[in-house]
Amino acid sequence: MTTDTEPVVEKPPVRRRSGLPGWAVQALVSLSAIVLALVVGAVLIIIGDEKVKSASSYFFAAPGDTISAALTAVGDAYQALLVGAVGGLNPIAESLTQATPLICGGLAVSLAFRTGLFNIGAQGQLIVGAIFAAWVGFAWHLPVGIHLIIAVIAGIIGGAIWGGLVGLLKARTGAHEVIVTIMLNYVAIYLLQWLLTTSAFQRPGRTDPISPIVDSNAQYPQLSGNRLHLGFVLALVAAAFVWWLLNRSTVGFELRAVGANPDASRTAGMSVGRAYTIAMLVAGALAGLAGTQQVLGTDLPLTDGVAASVGFDSITVALLGRGTPVGTVLAGLLFGALNAGGLQMQLQTQTALTLTTVLQAVIVLFVAAPALVRSIFRFLPRERGLGAVLAKGWNG
Amino acid sequence: MTTTEATEPAGPTEPVEVERTIESPTERAQRIRYGSILLVLAAVTILLAATTGDGRAAFGLLGGSEVLGSAAAWVGILVLLAATVAAVVLPFTGRAPRATAALAPLLLLFAVMFFKTKGSASFSVPAGATAWTLAVLAVACAVVWVLRVAGGRLNGLLGSIVVIGFFAAFLCWAVAGKNLAFPISNQFQGTLNFATPLILGALAGVVCERAGVINIAIEGQFLFGAFTAALVSSTTGSSAAALIAAAATGVLLAALLAVFSIKYLVNQVVLGVVLVVFATGVTGYLYDEFMQENAADLNTPHVLTAVKIPGLGDIPFIGPILFNQTVLVYLMYLAVAVVTFVLFETRWGLRVRSVGEHPKAADTVGIKVSRVRYSAVLWAGVLAGLGGAFFTVGYGGAFVKEMTAGNGFIALAALIMGRWHPIGATVAALFFGFATQLQSQLQIVDTPIPGDLLLMAPYLATVVAVAGLVGRVRAPKADGEPYVKG
């Protein structure tokens, strides 16, 4: 009846097929989404700014004041954001530090995506990984080199257990991974809180939930004298591994096949349950690696805030990265830069850090709806076969 | 009940006589799975009984009545027994008799409580003996379940006895020999409080998903509702305006969900997660920039006061718990009834379910799929927004960043545990409320278990339930699939 009941895809493809390769089109859409998000952010900055508030009280007397105050506010805030993210060596190092766990967490979500699983449990897997790594880090005392390797492996195993459990339950009983991962996130948080009250984990002489600092042998070595540590390199290695796994290995082929069509894969003789278990095992391992980066790289003692919101931000990172390793790395870098820049913005212009959360959400929202972005930026070419793997419901 | 229910596990319903005697392989598998979980529960109950300490377990009650304690309690008990027997023996079919039978032990327990208190504020039982009695009862019921005596007609009753027996034995174990009485009235009061937003959120999810739109954004709708309710209540001083505003912002986020999922065909799980982040960011930003500095003007909401319903509110024990509540809780009761009725008894409800199950078929007979989906998602937004209002004006007062603390995701879990049925979702939400309240009560009574582990229990229980009890849950067939006409 009305036009709004007509899905957009319905329109016949009147637009020209561009000669651009797929990745270029995606990059254009992503860039447009970022521009749109910055516009939304600008509106929020303007309504939140003190000077704009006072100037708008006499808006009709001198509208120019309001407009110039608004422009100044937006300009100042975004300048601080940009300088805080990439304006010099230290800001760049801080951005990379922030991006490190986001990349690993994002890979954990991406890999599950490609297998047709929605892994909301990166948070829990990260926490369990951090618990394992921290315990090896402060309770064991090993020589230089070996200690770090063992601690990282412990963290990876911890995350893999937490993630693999989900895959196993899904394969054996059909328990939906969304529910199980949400629940296991809570279990992991309470497990961490409880452990930090036990004598095995709580720092002697302290009553608050904090563990001893991990041995210096178990800490990631610093790169370049600021907070950036070796974990960042590991994150890139992990991305390369995931790329190899998905695109060059037999197992990865099975994972992608199951993700694309589980019924067809079953008919072709693949074990869907095995694919689910492997995917969640590896995804958990990647999230566990992110946990080691948090606790052995930046935090050093284990606290109940070790995961912050990294596990949840990983989901948006993976969505922005469209489930590919390269995209996830780029998305992780972007969000890391936004986080680092957001801190500077808050310091310099008193614009709340939560603005970056809005920016992140709006970016992903627009990226997920290319049809909408195209209806705003008419020059964008059409895109083919986007998100076929992701377009699934509960029953998929 | 009706045979059109989409949650019925087996396909076409078999005749009644067959149901009694022959068991299909699916039913058999289900019986063994449920039975083994009940057996495990019963075994744990024995373990609890064996480790229960000496002394008496004291329980506190509010609103017990001498009058009811004597005569009326007996009448109530007899009526309940009669109803239970009738439900089990009479040849009714469907779920209603099983549900009645499942509810009976709980009501019986309530009746015994009136009787036991005789108006006094607390009563106590010998902890060990009571726990053992309950354990033996639980084991017996679990075994009867597994042996499938009486063709499964006793299932509701048996399951209910095992679960109640387990919790009662657990309480005896936890408070044995303690001086402080375990406050039972508080337990149920708190259950209702914690469950109210969960139920509203889960109902919102049921309406959405029955129409084929996955709603993971309940958490975001909660945050929007909580924020606006606090803001509007503080600035206007009107609770009615606050609730309307909360519902409106719930609809606002629902509109985003609807437009992006129905018009722009965005993957709905992705969309839901993004909308939660969006709502977290927007409410967080507005809080940081405006509310925090002007808390006196913008963040001092008027918390709803309890309104006692005359007559019903005077019933001993149950009255103060159920019928001396805020208007939001009454709205929740209404919502459960209305959603159940509308979804299963009205034309609109049938259309909602049909576009959620088979949009193409619905389209073929002339139902406007997108329009029905829009209306379902937007109406669900009203429910979720009201659920969000509970966190500020309904219970807690001032708005705090991210104050809904994952309750929207718990509502989602309740919806799935309740198998996309309004009543099932309500029961699951009540279970979460019960467990949360139990944890905070046991902290006060000072039990041997660390609080964090108790907090963990409901989430672990959900994993077990989803993996074992619910099994391969069946969502509405087209849930999450955008419909493209053609």
Side-chain angles (χ1 to χ4, degrees), chain B residues 82-93:
Chain B
T84 312
V85 170
V88 172
V89 172
L90 292 180
F92 293 130
T93 53

Side-chain angles (χ1 to χ4, degrees), chain A residues 1-10 40 44-50 53 113 118 120 169-176 178-180 182-184 186-187 190-191 193-194 197 312 315-316 319 346 350-355 357-358 360-362 364-366 368-369 371-372 375 390-395, chain B residues 33 209 214 216 260 262-271 273-275 277-278 280-282 284-286 288-290 293 368 370-371 374 401 405-407 409-410 412-413 416 420 432 450 452-453 455-456 458-460 462-463 466-468 471-481 483-486:
Chain A
M1 257 331 218
T2 50
T3 47
D4 62 355
T5 55
E6 290 268 309
V8 168
V9 169
E10 261 304 278
V40 173
L44 284 176
I45 292 172
I46 290 169
I47 62 169
D49 190 74
E50 291 301 326
K53 271 182 227 166
F113 254 151
F118 199 64
I120 303 190
L169 282 177
K170 168 104 181 171
R172 285 287 167 84
T173 69
H176 201 281
V178 168
I179 289 307
V180 177
I182 291 174
M183 295 300 132
L184 286 184
Y186 286 99
V187 173
Y190 292 122
L191 182 70
Q193 283 179 4
W194 172 69
T197 63
F312 295 112
I315 301 170
T316 33
L319 297 180
Q346 187 169 29
Q350 281 77 49
T351 307
L353 179 61
T354 28
L355 183 72
T357 313
V358 181
Q360 293 173 352
V362 175
V364 179
L365 197 58
F366 281 124
L372 176 63
S375 67
L390 304 186
K392 278 189 180 168
W394 291 125
N395 300 313
Chain B
R33 195 162 49 191
E209 304 211 355
I214 290 180
I216 291 196
F260 276 93
I262 301 169
K263 186 171 165 70
Y264 291 108
L265 313 176
V266 176
N267 175 281
Q268 292 158 12
V269 179
V270 170
L271 182 60
V273 172
V274 173
L275 287 179
V277 179
F278 178 72
T280 311
V282 169
Y285 181 78
L286 294 177
D288 283 340
E289 291 285 333
F290 295 99
E293 36 202 88
K368 301 269 181 298
S370 297
R371 187 183 291 182
Y374 270 115
K401 269 200 283 181
N407 272 280
F409 290 109
I410 304 296
L412 181 72
I416 293 182
W420 285 269
F432 278 112
D452 290 319
L453 294 189
L455 276 171
M456 202 190 278
Y459 304 113
L460 273 180
T462 308
V463 173
V466 171
R472 290 179 194 275
V473 285
R474 212 184 70 77
K477 188 144 188 300
D479 200 2
E481 287 170 19
Y483 178 63
V484 182
K485 207 176 164 128

Side-chain angles (χ1 to χ4, degrees), chain B residues 121-398:
Chain B
S122 75
F123 68 95
S124 67
V125 292
T130 313
W132 271 115
T133 315
L134 291 166
V136 170
L137 199 63
V139 171
C141 288
V143 169
V144 172
W145 173 298
V146 173
L147 295 179
R148 195 167 173 266
V149 178
R153 287 185 72 83
L154 288 166
N155 281 359
L157 184 64
L158 295 172
S160 154
I161 292 178
V162 175
V163 172
I164 292 172
F166 166 76
F167 278 111
F170 175 75
L171 281 181
C172 285
W173 175 81
V175 300
K178 293 270 172 358
N179 291 324
L180 276 171
F182 180 83
I184 289 189
S185 306
N186 274 357
Q187 173 63 35
F188 287 103
Q189 179 88 42
T191 299
L192 198 61
N193 273 335
F194 283 119
T196 299
L198 296 180
I199 292 175
L200 285 167
L203 288 176
V206 168
V207 174
C208 256
E209 304 211 355
R210 280 294 179 130
V213 178
I214 290 180
N215 188 357
I216 291 196
I218 300 169
E219 175 83 359
Q221 294 174 311
F222 275 180
L223 274 172
F224 265 30
F227 179 84
T228 23
L231 184 70
V232 172
S233 176
S234 309
T235 48
T236 67
S238 157
S239 298
L243 292 183
I244 291 171
T249 42
V251 173
L252 185 72
L253 204 64
L256 282 178
L257 177 71
V259 170
F260 276 93
S261 63
I262 301 169
K263 186 171 165 70
Y264 291 108
L265 313 176
V266 176
N267 175 281
Q268 292 158 12
V269 179
V270 170
L271 182 60
V273 172
V274 173
L275 287 179
V276 172
V277 179
F278 178 72
T280 311
V282 169
T283 55
Y285 181 78
L286 294 177
Y287 176 83
D288 283 340
E289 291 285 333
F290 295 99
M291 240 182 192
Q292 206 169 19
E293 36 202 88
N294 301 322
D297 293 333
L298 301 180
N299 200 10
T300 44
H302 166 72
V303 178
L304 295 170
T305 44
V307 183
K308 187 170 162 185
I309 295 185
L312 289 173
D314 293 322
I315 302 172
F317 186 63
I318 295 178
I321 294 172
L322 292 180
F323 302 111
N324 188 10
Q325 290 287 0
T326 63
V327 64
L328 209 48
V329 177
Y330 297 134
L331 279 176
M332 180 271 284
Y333 298 157
L334 193 68
V336 176
V338 168
V339 168
T340 313
F341 178 79
V342 166
L343 219 43
F344 298 108
E345 307 294 338
T346 66
R347 180 187 298 192
W348 185 76
L350 184 62
R351 289 182 172 177
V352 165
R353 286 181 292 135
S354 67
V355 300
E357 285 292 330
H358 203 318
K360 196 161 211 168
D363 195 10
T364 315
V365 297
I367 296 172
K368 301 269 181 298
V369 174
S370 297
R371 187 183 291 182
V372 172
R373 283 187 170 173
Y374 270 115
S375 63
V377 175
L378 294 181
W379 277 111
V382 172
L383 295 173
L386 286 176
F390 185 85
F391 291 95
T392 50
V393 299
Y395 187 69

Side-chain angles (χ1 to χ4, degrees), chain A residues 10 55 67 76 78 87 130 170 219 245 260 280 314 322 338 389:
Chain A
E10 261 304 278
I67 293 167
D76 287 353
Y78 281 156
K170 168 104 181 171
Q219 295 173 10
L245 183 74
M280 284 309 297
S314 309
R322 295 166 192 244
L338 275 177
V389 174

Side-chain angles (χ1 to χ4, degrees), chain A residues 194-207:
Chain A
W194 172 69
L195 283 175
L196 285 174
T197 63
T198 61
S199 57
F201 273 83
Q202 197 168 30
R203 194 185 295 181
R206 293 288 286 262
T207 51

Side-chain angles (χ1 to χ4, degrees), chain A residues 54-275:
Chain A
S54 54
S56 65
S57 59
Y58 55 91
F59 179 78
F60 291 105
D65 281 12
T66 310
I67 293 167
S68 74
L71 289 178
T72 320
V74 173
D76 287 353
Y78 281 156
Q79 195 187 357
L81 183 78
L82 196 66
V83 170
V86 290
L89 212 57
N90 274 337
I92 289 177
E94 180 59 24
S95 294
L96 296 183
T97 312
Q98 296 267 1
T100 303
L102 290 176
I103 292 173
C104 283
L107 288 171
V109 181
S110 293
L111 184 73
F113 254 151
R114 298 292 289 273
T115 319
L117 296 169
F118 199 64
N119 180 13
I120 303 190
Q123 186 85 357
Q125 293 146 19
L126 191 154
I127 289 175
V128 175
I131 292 173
F132 274 54
W135 187 73
V136 171
F138 65 74
W140 295 12
H141 304 287
L142 300 169
V144 183
I146 298 172
H147 199 171
L148 176 63
I149 293 169
I150 303 269
V152 170
I153 290 174
I156 288 174
I157 290 174
I161 293 173
W162 217 242
L165 187 64
V166 178
L168 200 64
L169 282 177
K170 168 104 181 171
R172 285 287 167 84
T173 69
H176 201 281
E177 79 277 4
V178 168
I179 289 307
V180 177
T181 48
I182 291 174
M183 295 300 132
L184 286 184
N185 281 346
Y186 286 99
V187 173
I189 291 164
Y190 292 122
L191 182 70
L192 174 63
Q193 283 179 4
W194 172 69
L195 283 175
L196 285 174
T197 63
T198 61
S199 57
F201 273 83
Q202 197 168 30
R203 194 185 295 181
R206 293 288 286 262
T207 51
D208 51 336
I210 190 165
S211 81
I213 295 177
V214 294
D215 281 10
S216 59
N217 287 350
Q219 295 173 10
Y220 281 113
Q222 303 289 309
L223 310 173
S224 79
N226 31 40
R227 296 213 310 153
L228 186 62
H229 54 83
L230 189 66
F232 178 69
V233 179
L234 270 189
L236 296 183
V237 172
F241 166 74
V242 171
W243 180 85
W244 172 85
L245 183 74
L246 280 175
N247 297 313
R248 289 289 179 272
S249 73
T250 320
V251 172
F253 177 75
E254 271 187 38
L255 298 188
R256 284 185 294 133
V258 168
N261 190 339
D263 293 328
S265 314
R266 196 178 288 115
T267 313
M270 297 175 191
S271 165
V272 175
R274 196 177 80 108

